Amino acid sequence: MLFVRKIPVIVAVYCLASFIPAFAYDEAGTKVPPGMEIIQVGGTQVLVPEGIEVTRKDGLIVLENVSEYVARQLVDMKKRVEYLEEKQKALEEKIEELTRLLSAGQR
């Protein structure tokens, strides 16, 4: 009964904690939001999305276009999903085979 009275308090604490922004810190103590990273570009630190490509063209430092970054991330994600689907299918087939062997051994 005592635990039942604590449930609203636990829920309230959980809700309040979920509103606190989650930040990581780099070596210098700078806040880095989730999914972002600080890279060194020349003598300057730049906050960019994790995995963005940085190139040099004619002495200029060019960050990958947002649409190119998103498209590349989606293609990579699609490849990972396809790989996982293939692996899942192979595991399901293995489970079916093992189930058949077990059921045949019990007869």
Side-chain angles (χ1 to χ4, degrees):
M1 191 69 180
L2 181 63
F3 181 72
V4 174
R5 283 191 254 158
K6 290 184 180 181
I7 290 176
V9 174
I10 294 170
V11 170
V13 169
Y14 177 77
C15 289
L16 289 174
S18 66
F19 290 118
I20 298 172
F23 286 97
Y25 291 88
D26 70 348
E27 296 81 27
T30 307
K31 284 186 178 181
V32 181
M36 303 292 279
E37 65 182 341
I38 294 179
I39 61 171
Q40 192 75 23
V41 179
T44 308
Q45 290 186 337
V46 181
L47 181 66
V48 296
E50 287 180 358
I52 198 163
E53 292 182 2
V54 180
T55 56
R56 290 184 180 264
K57 290 184 181 177
D58 300 328
L60 295 175
I61 298 168
V62 181
L63 299 177
E64 183 178 26
N65 187 325
V66 173
S67 60
E68 293 171 352
Y69 171 77
V70 171
R72 187 170 49 82
Q73 292 295 326
L74 288 174
V75 167
D76 290 346
M77 191 180 304
K78 182 178 178 183
K79 288 177 184 175
R80 288 193 307 261
V81 168
E82 288 171 353
Y83 168 77
L84 290 173
E85 287 174 343
E86 290 173 9
K87 191 166 184 129
Q88 180 181 0
K89 185 176 180 180
L91 289 172
E92 287 173 350
E93 290 172 358
K94 189 78 167 175
I95 289 171
E96 288 176 13
E97 178 184 343
L98 290 171
T99 305
R100 276 188 274 117
L101 289 173
L102 282 174
S103 63
Q106 291 178 353
R107 289 183 184 175

